[in-house]
């Protein structure tokens, strides 16, 4: 069976793909990752994660439209699959349940928007 | 890089096309290009260019690479196969292989050690943040195209420079020679009674800490030396004298003298090993009343450091110093009544020596520091390359000589379809496996030889295991050396034609044996040169040690550090020691004819000619009336000083000074020095070597005076231990709170020639290494030769050849090569050794015996190496060899 756990980096990338919607292609995701987390990463490593997420069944990809600033080349756009959304949901609930078990920070005192 | 075009690098794109999965090619190229223009908008084109490359390399990931076709798998399998075959060959011929690898390893170990040494030498004074702004101000004398430098400058120059040259941010003087309390002292904390001996004192202006960016543990760079009588001590001395406390404000007494009490103003970090300046105690020059720091335009007693402002142009600043010299310095010197000013105006100027140059000193500035030697760095580097080359040659030699054995293997491989290229790959990977093993062994050898090497080179090196570059560098050099040394055998072996090879007709051919002979000749040429080098340096060293010096250095003990006693007590100590039966005579004088003792120079003239002549510089020693007898110097005219007589203005000069003064009848002549003191000559002492034997004896003048720090004792007993015990007993009576400290004058003399001794050991060591490597090669070659000619030898024996004939037959070929090597080596060695000795005044003449001896040694070693196998071949029962036919 295929590994379907989410690593921290994978989870962030998955979320970014969801956020960026139809603008989710490797270069944009890398830039967004940089602005959101303040950490740098190469396009290559983001791309390799995206491909891994496809293998796990959380993403699909499709070729988009060409544009001039990329020398007339098309983009590869990534979309969340249902499995991907479920994986994110599971991961979020798992965290919240962990937070709830931490006495000083139970969810009643903290609000997670 | 194309900065104008502002397009992504073509080469990187090409690379991506090469290795990227075709599926990804379009979107990845698009992404990277978009990124490129994105970076270009915000940053420079070179950053964008660099980023593109960076991103390209980051695509070297398994997911993005083209699916490997069967070809790559095959290549990997082949590589594994090559390594396996190499390993089997290695095991099959153990002697051969261990000689190949061992020889390599020795060469590599030598290279590693030498690279460490050179790396250390050229890394001096690179640690300053503003190293481009730090200079030493030295004098420059350029006359008729010849330029000389020396470091001593006038004290008041500091203020002149500070006031007139705005580019000089800070100026600091230091005093390194034994003036005042610089050098060595006995010190104690003010609350303690017991004196401890310490070295490494020097004076400096407060600015020095700032200029040389000396980090402080306690106190501030700005204030640590800015009070009168303040001092800065190093961290190790602070830990020793004031463990676990901040010693700032504590007071220290030097030499029991109530006048020299210093207050600690700060603690500095120890000087790093790669600093040209070393020492543990810095005394301030600020606010002194007399001695260091107060001398005027009379004398040049200081070294001077400056820090220029950022971006200042050195040449422009030097130009300004020349203007200052014309307008200011010359005037001051004239007021001081100095002569020779026209020459100074014409030839002398100031030079700013970059701080990084001070250690290796390519300008050869005369100063009191100990320097690394550029020559030694070159010689070391040269020898390292030679030894590595010898080892590589061994490899090539052995590999080609093995070729016959492997001809069948090559033939078979070709028959089953191997191409020449893949055979070349095979032999190259084989040589890489060998060189990798050799490097591992070499690193191990270097590591185990390091302590010995450190002692030899007087350094404290360590192998930088943890450096980022160390392991990669080794791997890269393993590959490089492997490929370089394997390339000839690889091409040679892979060229065999299969049918001939399988029939056993493949033949080394004349060309190949010529090459092999050439390599043996080269190896032995290098070896003979090194043997001769070792012999000549050894002879030169012995010559210097046995040279008659004009005084006797043996059985003289210098008792040191008596400056903590009262003058009258020093006299009493001398009298008391003279009562001992084994003490022949004793003398109080700080001036000794060995290195590390006091130096003082003054200019002299014949009285009444001061205004007329230029004068000359002579060493001026203050000695007592027993000095000349204690040192067994010879008076050639006139008399020695007489005790108790009115010899205050008497002077004894050496013969060299007589010549300099141009006197026929020196005794009775009156002379004056630069301070207008007048003396009359009472005696002439025969020239003796009081400085280095590498130079001629300089003029020297002795006046009557008492030493303050040193008492020299001539003993006449061979039992040194008993003598020292009795001297120690006498010392105890006088000085209870200070341990006796002494040196033997002959040992101090030998220490002056440590450099030569080092050179001798280095030559010897490397001569031995190269003999070892060359012998290993020759030995393996002789094994091979005997194997090849086994049948021939057996047939000869059957036909009645004697053992002697066969031995001669087998060795003669090699001896011929060694003879050629000797003929080549002798002129080269002669040239180099003559150059090496050329700047020494007292040198041996190169004799033919040395060269003959070197040659004989080479032949004996070569014959010895070969005879092992030759004799074995000559005594073997011929039936054994011929039977298997």
């Amino acid at each position: 069976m295929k590994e379907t756990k989410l690593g921290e980096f994978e989870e962030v990338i998955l979320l970014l793909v969801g956020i960026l919607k139809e603008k989710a292609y490797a270069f944009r995701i890398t830039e967004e990752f940089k602005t959101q987390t303040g950490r740098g990463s190469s396009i290559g490593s983001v791309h390799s994660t995206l491909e891994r997420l496809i293998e796990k069944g959380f993403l699909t990809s499709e070729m988009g439209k060409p544009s001039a600033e990329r020398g007339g080349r098309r983009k590869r756009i990534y979309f969340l699959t249902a499995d991907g959304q479920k994986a994110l949901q599971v991961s979020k609930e798992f965290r919240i349940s962990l937070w709830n078990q931490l006495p000083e920070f139970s969810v009643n005192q903290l609000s997670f928007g | 890089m194309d900065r104008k075009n502002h397009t992504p690098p073509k080469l990187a794109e090409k690379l991506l096309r090469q290795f990227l999965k075709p599926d990804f090619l379009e979107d990845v190229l698009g992404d990277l290009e978009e990124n490129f223009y994105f970076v270009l908008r915000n940053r420079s084109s070179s950053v964008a260019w660099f980023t593109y490359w960076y991103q390209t390399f980051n695509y070297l990931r398994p997911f993005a690479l083209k699916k490997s076709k069967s070809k790559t798998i095959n290549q990997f399998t082949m590589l594994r196969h090559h390594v396996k075959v190499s390993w089997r060959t290695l095991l099959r011929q153990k002697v051969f292989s261990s000689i190949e690898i061992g020889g390599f390893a020795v060469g590599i170990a030598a290279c590693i050690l030498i690279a460490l040494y050179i790396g250390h030498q050229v890394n001096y004074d690179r640690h300053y943040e503003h190293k481009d702004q730090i200079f030493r101000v030295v004098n420059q004398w350029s006359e008729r195209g010849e330029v000389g430098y020396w470091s001593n400058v006038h004290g008041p120059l500091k203020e002149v420079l500070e006031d007139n040259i705005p580019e000089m941010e800070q100026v600091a003087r230091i005093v390194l020679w034994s003036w005042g309390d610089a050098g060595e002292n006995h010190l104690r904390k003010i609350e303690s009674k017991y004196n401890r001996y310490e070295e490494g004192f020097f004076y400096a202006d407060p600015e020095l800490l700032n200029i040389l960016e000396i980090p402080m543990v306690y106190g501030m760079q700005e204030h640590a030396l800015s009070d009168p009588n303040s001092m800065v001590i190093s961290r190790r001395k602070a830990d020793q004298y004031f463990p676990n406390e901040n010693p700032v404000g504590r007071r220290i007494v030097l030499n029991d003298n109530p006048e020299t009490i210093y207050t600690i103003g700060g603690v500095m970090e120890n000087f790093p090993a790669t600093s040209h300046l070393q020492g543990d105690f810095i005394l301030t020059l600020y606010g002194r009343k007399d001695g260091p720091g107060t001398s005027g335009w009379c004398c040049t007693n200081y070294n001077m450091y400056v820090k220029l402002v950022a971006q200042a142009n050195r040449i422009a600043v030097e130009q300004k110093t020349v203007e200052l010299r014309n307008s200011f310095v010359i005037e001051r010197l004239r007021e001081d009544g100095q002569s020779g000013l026209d020459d100074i105006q014409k030839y002398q100027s100031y030079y700013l020596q970059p701080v990084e140059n001070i250690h290796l000193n390519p300008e050869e500035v005369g100063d009191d520091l100990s320097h690394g030697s550029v020559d030694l760095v070159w010689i070391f580097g040269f020898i390292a390359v030679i030894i590595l080359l010898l080892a590589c040659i061994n490899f090539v030699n052995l590999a080609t000589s093995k070729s016959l054995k492997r001809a069948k293997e090559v033939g078979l491989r070709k028959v089953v379809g191997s191409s020449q290229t893949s055979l070349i790959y095979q032999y190259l990977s084989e040589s890489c496996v060998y060189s990798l093993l050799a490097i591992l062994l070499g690193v191990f050898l270097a590591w185990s030889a390091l302590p010995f090497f450190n002692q030899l080179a007087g350094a404290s090196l360590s192998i930088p295991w943890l450096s980022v570059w160390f392991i990669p560098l080794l791997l890269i050099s393993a590959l490089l050396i492997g490929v370089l040394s394997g390339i000839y055998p690889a091409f040679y072996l892979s060229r065999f034609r299969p049918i001939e090879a399988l029939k056993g007709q493949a033949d080394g051919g004349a060309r190949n044996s010529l090459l092999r002979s050439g390599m043996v000749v080269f190896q032995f040429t290098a070896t003979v040169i090194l043997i001769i080098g070792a012999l000549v340096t050894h002879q030169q060293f012995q010559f210097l040690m046995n040279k008659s010096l004009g005084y006797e250095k043996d059985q003289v003990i210098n008792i040191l550090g008596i400056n903590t006693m009262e003058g009258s007590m020093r006299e009493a100590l001398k009298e008391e020691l003279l009562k001992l039966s084994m003490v022949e005579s004793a003398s109080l004088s700080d001036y000794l004819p060995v290195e590390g003792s006091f130096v003082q120079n003054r200019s002299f003239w014949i009285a009444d000619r001061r205004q007329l002549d230029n004068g000359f510089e002579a060493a001026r020693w203050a000695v007592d009336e027993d000095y000349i007898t204690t040192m067994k110097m010879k008076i050639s005219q006139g008399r020695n000083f007489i005790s108790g007589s009115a010899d205050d203005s008497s002077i004894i000069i050496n013969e060299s000074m007589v010549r300099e003064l141009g006197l026929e009848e020196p005794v009775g002549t009156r002379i004056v020095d630069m301070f207008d003191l007048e003396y009359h000559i009472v005696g002439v002492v025969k020239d003796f070597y009081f400085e280095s034997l590498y130079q001629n004896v300089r003029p020297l003048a002795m006046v009557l005076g008492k030493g303050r720090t040193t008492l020299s004792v001539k003993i006449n007993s061979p039992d040194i231990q008993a003598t020292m015990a009795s001297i120690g007993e006498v010392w105890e009576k006088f000085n209870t709170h200070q341990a006796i400290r002494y040196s033997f004058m002959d040992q101090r003399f030998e220490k002056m020639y440590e450099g030569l001794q080092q050179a001798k050991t280095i030559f010897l060591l490397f001569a031995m290494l190269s003999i070892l490597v060359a012998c290993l090669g020759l030995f393996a070659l002789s094994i091979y030769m005997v194997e090849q000619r086994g049948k021939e030898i057996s047939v000869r024996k059957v036909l009645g050849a004697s053992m002697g004939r066969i031995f001669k037959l087998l060795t003669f070929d090699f001896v011929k090569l060694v003879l050629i090597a000797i003929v080549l080596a002798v002129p080269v060695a002669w040239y180099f050794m003559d150059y090496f000795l050329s700047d020494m005044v007292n040198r041996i003449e190169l004799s033919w015996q040395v060269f003959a001896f070197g040659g004989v040694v080479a032949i004996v070693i070569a014959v010895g190496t070969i005879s092992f196998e030759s004799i074995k071949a000559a005594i073997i029962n011929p039936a054994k060899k011929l039977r298997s036919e």
Side-chain angles (χ1 to χ4, degrees):
Chain A
M1 207 196 115
K2 230 170 229 167
E3 168 94 48
T4 49
K5 288 230 177 69
L6 276 182
E8 190 257 352
F9 187 63
E10 289 175 338
E11 190 178 347
V12 175
I13 297 293
L14 210 52
L15 284 167
L16 287 176
V17 170
I19 294 166
L20 287 169
K21 300 233 173 79
E22 64 276 11
K23 279 178 275 173
Y25 60 103
F27 164 68
R28 246 336 268 280
I29 298 169
T30 312
E31 280 308 309
E32 195 65 23
F33 178 77
K34 215 177 286 174
T35 43
Q36 294 270 5
T37 65
R39 282 184 285 159
S41 175
S42 74
I43 302 177
S45 69
V46 169
H47 197 161
S48 100
T49 310
L50 289 167
E51 290 299 316
R52 200 159 57 241
L53 289 170
I54 288 184
E55 264 177 51
K56 290 181 181 177
F58 297 152
L59 290 178
T60 56
S61 73
E62 209 170 87
M63 294 310 274
K65 290 196 194 78
S67 81
E69 59 186 348
R70 16 196 311 131
R73 297 187 183 94
R74 289 178 299 165
K75 303 164 179 166
R76 182 181 296 273
I77 312 282
Y78 292 84
F79 300 98
L80 276 179
T81 61
D83 274 357
Q85 286 180 357
K86 210 163 95 194
L88 283 175
Q89 192 64 35
V90 168
S91 152
K92 181 185 167 194
E93 272 159 16
F94 172 64
R95 301 255 161 135
I96 289 178
S97 99
L98 281 183
W99 278 107
N100 281 337
Q101 290 163 49
L102 200 66
E104 305 94 87
F105 292 102
S106 85
V107 113
N108 303 331
Q109 285 147 22
L110 279 173
S111 72
F112 289 91
Chain B
M1 164 179 9
D2 195 350
R3 285 158 192 273
K4 280 179 208 145
N5 247 335
H6 291 200
T7 55
K10 287 275 175 320
L11 187 63
E13 268 181 33
K14 211 169 149 189
L15 202 68
L16 283 169
R17 281 179 214 280
Q18 283 280 331
F19 71 72
L20 221 50
K21 254 185 215 168
D23 288 0
F24 286 151
L25 196 57
E26 182 174 359
D27 62 297
V28 169
L29 280 178
D31 277 355
L32 293 197
E33 189 160 332
E34 199 175 339
N35 186 42
F36 178 84
Y37 290 116
F38 176 76
V39 178
L40 193 63
R41 272 198 302 280
N42 302 317
R43 311 279 293 276
S44 71
S45 65
S46 52
V47 175
W49 180 89
F50 180 78
T51 317
Y52 196 95
W53 272 105
Y54 170 76
Q55 300 289 6
T56 303
F57 281 117
N58 262 297
Y59 261 104
L60 284 171
R61 292 160 188 273
F63 88 98
L65 298 181
K66 262 183 196 160
K67 277 277 168 288
S68 51
K69 292 179 205 148
S70 59
K71 188 180 154 203
T72 11
I73 292 175
N74 187 31
Q75 267 177 3
F76 180 68
T77 321
M78 282 311 285
L79 187 66
R80 224 170 45 186
H81 167 81
H82 292 337
V83 172
K84 195 184 271 173
V85 170
S86 313
W87 184 247
R88 285 179 185 163
T89 328
L90 192 150
L91 290 183
R92 192 161 58 235
Q93 299 179 311
K94 292 203 179 60
V95 181
F96 253 62
S97 318
S98 44
I99 287 176
E100 277 183 48
I101 294 177
F104 244 159
V106 169
I108 284 161
C111 271
I112 291 175
L113 289 179
I114 288 171
L116 285 178
Y117 173 80
I118 294 178
H120 176 75
Q121 287 295 319
V122 300
N123 256 325
Y124 265 75
D125 294 304
R126 309 252 161 178
H127 56 277
Y128 310 108
E129 193 185 335
H130 303 289
K131 69 176 182 331
D132 301 335
Q133 291 161 248
I134 307 172
F135 295 90
R136 182 167 70 157
V137 183
V138 300
N139 303 287
Q140 174 178 346
W141 188 280
S142 52
E143 187 175 349
R144 288 187 220 104
E146 286 193 24
V147 187
Y149 303 93
W150 72 103
S151 69
N152 290 346
V153 294
H154 296 104
L157 185 65
K158 171 176 153 72
E159 271 174 44
V160 177
L161 293 179
E162 278 169 348
D163 294 348
N164 296 292
I165 303 187
E167 287 94 333
M168 290 193 177
E169 196 176 306
Q170 280 178 317
V171 184
R173 300 166 298 173
I174 69 170
V175 176
L176 292 169
W177 61 288
S178 47
W179 185 25
D181 295 325
E184 41 190 47
N185 291 296
H186 287 88
L187 70 78
R188 60 176 172 86
K189 294 189 238 181
I190 197 159
E191 60 272 19
S192 154
K193 260 189 84 175
Y194 194 80
N195 277 325
R196 297 265 286 270
Y197 167 73
E198 288 291 353
E199 294 169 346
F201 289 79
F202 62 88
Y203 288 96
D205 281 316
E207 293 91 337
L208 184 82
L209 297 173
N210 242 320
I211 295 178
L212 291 185
E213 299 169 10
I214 299 172
M216 303 298 288
V217 182
Y218 295 111
M220 308 280 287
Q221 271 180 357
E222 287 75 20
H223 314 302
L225 289 175
S226 52
D227 291 320
N229 289 326
S230 56
M231 78 192 289
V232 164
I233 64 176
S234 68
R235 179 199 273 271
R236 61 175 158 253
K237 290 302 166 193
D239 288 344
Q240 183 182 339
Y241 286 95
F242 307 97
N244 306 319
E245 63 171 305
N246 177 354
V248 172
R250 301 290 293 267
R251 291 197 293 167
I252 279 185
V253 186
L254 295 191
N255 304 323
D256 263 353
N257 184 349
E259 311 258 301
T260 55
I261 298 175
Y262 290 89
T263 311
I264 296 177
V267 176
M268 62 177 174
E269 271 306 334
N270 302 331
F271 282 109
T274 50
S275 160
H276 70 277
L277 191 63
Q278 295 291 337
D280 289 310
F281 303 89
I282 309 181
L283 311 173
T284 188
L285 282 172
Y286 176 78
R288 287 186 55 91
K289 305 272 185 306
D290 53 21
T294 59
S295 65
W297 289 102
C298 67
C299 331
T300 55
N301 288 328
Y302 307 89
N303 285 357
M304 191 170 283
Y305 294 89
V306 294
K307 183 177 179 187
L308 301 186
V309 295
Q311 313 296 317
N313 180 337
R314 192 193 78 188
I315 307 293
V317 174
E318 277 173 2
Q319 195 49 45
K320 286 196 178 183
T321 62
V322 171
E323 286 157 23
L324 267 186
R325 174 203 68 193
N326 292 342
S327 63
F328 207 91
V329 176
I330 293 278
E331 210 43 52
R332 292 290 100 73
L333 294 179
R334 183 164 293 128
E335 280 169 23
D336 195 62
Q338 296 191 20
S339 56
L341 294 182
D342 292 345
D343 281 353
I344 290 181
Q345 176 97 35
K346 250 192 281 180
Y347 304 124
Q348 191 177 335
S349 57
Y350 296 108
Y351 166 70
L352 298 184
Q353 185 186 29
V355 69
E356 302 158 49
N357 281 5
I358 297 179
H359 175 68
L360 280 179
N361 203 6
E363 298 95 339
E364 295 183 10
V365 176
D367 60 24
D368 302 324
L369 297 165
S370 67
H371 294 282
S373 151
V374 189
D375 287 351
L376 211 58
V377 166
W378 276 109
I379 292 176
F380 263 45
F382 186 65
I383 289 179
V385 171
I386 292 271
I387 289 191
L388 192 63
L389 213 57
L390 292 187
C392 283
I393 285 178
N394 260 353
F395 187 88
V396 175
N397 245 345
L398 298 184
T400 48
S401 64
K402 273 192 309 195
S403 62
L404 261 191
K405 276 204 161 168
R406 305 194 67 173
K408 287 219 168 88
E409 179 191 336
V410 173
L412 195 63
R413 279 173 186 278
K414 282 202 168 178
V415 167
V416 296
S418 178
S419 65
Q420 186 175 358
T421 333
S422 72
L423 280 171
I424 290 176
Y425 274 130
Q426 183 199 336
Y427 290 113
L428 282 185
S429 42
E430 189 171 318
S431 69
C432 285
V433 167
Y434 276 50
S435 75
L436 199 67
L437 287 175
I439 285 219
L440 289 181
L441 189 61
V443 170
F444 175 75
L445 283 180
W447 173 74
S448 33
L450 198 60
F452 169 70
F453 183 78
N454 272 338
Q455 203 183 355
L456 176 68
S460 52
L461 308 172
S462 58
I463 294 185
W465 301 109
L466 296 177
S467 288
V468 209
W469 48 265
F470 185 65
I471 305 283
L473 189 76
L474 284 184
L475 291 180
I476 291 173
S477 18
L479 276 181
L480 205 70
I481 296 174
V483 169
L484 277 182
S485 59
I487 206 150
Y488 178 77
F491 275 90
Y492 172 71
L493 282 170
S494 61
R495 234 180 24 218
F496 285 149
R497 265 177 291 186
I499 295 180
E500 283 168 19
L502 285 175
K503 273 185 176 166
Q505 287 171 343
D507 177 21
R511 204 161 62 88
N512 190 40
S513 87
L514 193 69
L515 184 91
R516 213 151 51 215
S517 313
M519 288 177 173
V520 171
V521 169
F522 178 80
Q523 283 188 323
F524 271 84
T525 309
T527 307
V528 170
I529 292 174
L530 287 173
I531 293 175
I532 292 175
L535 284 172
V536 170
T537 39
H538 176 73
Q539 275 194 340
Q540 172 70 14
F541 184 73
Q542 289 305 323
F543 174 76
L544 289 188
M545 289 304 106
N546 298 325
K547 169 105 186 132
S548 97
L549 299 166
Y551 68 94
E552 280 184 23
K553 62 181 190 297
D554 303 315
Q555 298 219 305
V556 177
I557 297 165
N558 313 123
I559 299 172
L560 304 164
I562 55 171
N563 49 338
T564 53
M565 303 160 76
E566 297 283 323
S568 54
M569 295 300 276
R570 292 195 280 260
E571 286 289 336
L573 176 67
K574 176 180 165 187
E575 293 307 319
E576 203 63 28
L577 285 175
L578 279 172
K579 286 183 192 154
L580 295 174
S581 62
M582 45 282 226
V583 171
E584 197 176 298
S585 63
S587 162
L588 273 169
S589 172
D590 299 342
Y591 297 88
L592 298 171
V594 287
E595 222 162 63
S597 82
F598 275 57
V599 189
Q600 195 187 59
N601 292 310
R602 285 190 189 179
S603 300
F604 285 92
W605 293 264
I606 293 175
D608 311 327
R609 294 194 64 84
R610 173 150 190 193
Q611 309 307 324
L612 306 172
D613 297 340
N614 265 341
F616 61 92
E617 206 168 64
R620 177 185 177 276
W621 287 10
V623 302
D624 68 1
E625 62 277 2
D626 297 322
Y627 189 79
I628 287 176
T629 38
T630 305
M631 299 291 172
K632 302 244 190 266
M633 292 159 184
K634 299 268 182 313
I635 299 273
S636 61
Q637 293 177 50
R639 61 167 174 87
N640 193 354
F641 297 120
I642 299 166
S643 68
S645 71
D647 260 341
D648 289 344
S649 68
S650 302
I651 197 164
I652 296 179
I653 64 176
N654 70 357
E655 288 169 335
S656 157
M657 185 150 167
V658 173
R659 281 193 296 276
E660 195 71 51
L661 288 166
L663 293 174
E664 294 286 319
E665 282 290 326
V667 176
T669 313
R670 309 187 73 79
I671 57 177
V672 291
D673 71 7
M674 60 208 269
F675 300 113
D676 284 321
L677 293 172
E678 199 169 300
Y679 311 90
H680 71 272
I681 299 169
V682 295
V684 175
V685 65
K686 267 183 106 94
D687 274 349
F688 60 92
Y689 285 93
F690 61 97
E691 286 167 334
S692 167
L693 277 167
Y694 299 141
Q695 298 148 18
N696 282 316
V697 181
R698 284 199 304 135
L700 169 80
M702 296 178 178
V703 297
L704 196 57
K706 294 274 185 234
R708 295 180 59 249
T709 69
T710 311
L711 175 61
S712 300
V713 179
K714 175 88 183 175
I715 59 172
N716 53 16
S717 154
D719 188 355
I720 301 287
Q721 239 170 353
T723 312
M724 281 323 299
S726 352
I727 292 178
E729 273 167 35
V730 176
W731 173 269
E732 286 295 317
K733 278 191 262 174
F734 283 83
N735 220 327
T736 50
H737 55 275
Q738 182 179 323
I740 186 169
R741 192 163 59 81
Y742 58 88
S743 64
F744 295 98
M745 206 151 85
D746 48 351
Q747 288 173 4
R748 285 176 73 171
F749 174 79
E750 274 186 35
K751 241 185 126 182
M752 293 165 70
Y753 303 97
E754 252 178 356
L756 190 63
Q757 179 130 36
Q758 266 180 17
K760 184 182 109 180
T761 326
I762 288 167
F763 265 124
L764 201 67
L765 181 76
F766 285 120
M768 280 179 346
L769 276 184
S770 80
I771 290 173
L772 179 74
V773 173
C775 280
L776 283 178
L778 203 58
F779 180 66
L781 274 186
S782 68
I783 295 179
Y784 162 75
M785 177 197 64
V786 167
E787 234 173 55
Q788 236 200 330
R789 297 176 75 172
K791 277 196 190 120
E792 179 199 335
I793 294 164
S794 302
V795 171
R796 278 174 191 269
K797 277 192 87 169
V798 169
L799 293 180
S802 69
M803 248 180 65
R805 295 269 315 234
I806 290 177
F807 180 72
K808 216 160 79 185
L809 177 83
L810 290 177
T811 44
F812 186 68
D813 279 349
F814 285 114
V815 171
K816 211 166 56 189
L817 298 181
V818 176
L819 284 176
I820 296 175
I822 293 170
V823 170
L824 289 178
V826 165
V828 179
W830 187 86
Y831 175 79
F832 276 119
M833 294 327 289
D834 200 54
Y835 176 77
F836 172 70
L837 295 172
S838 62
D839 53 350
M840 303 180 188
V841 168
N842 288 293
R843 53 165 281 187
I844 51 166
E845 283 312 312
L846 294 171
S847 63
W848 64 268
Q849 286 100 327
V850 176
F851 295 91
F853 186 71
V856 169
V857 166
I859 291 180
V860 166
I861 289 173
V863 171
T865 312
I866 308 161
S867 57
F868 187 72
E869 279 299 312
S870 306
I871 291 176
K872 218 162 78 179
I875 59 178
I876 201 169
N877 183 354
K880 273 188 185 164
K881 273 269 170 191
L882 294 173
R883 178 169 58 187
S884 57
E885 189 71 354

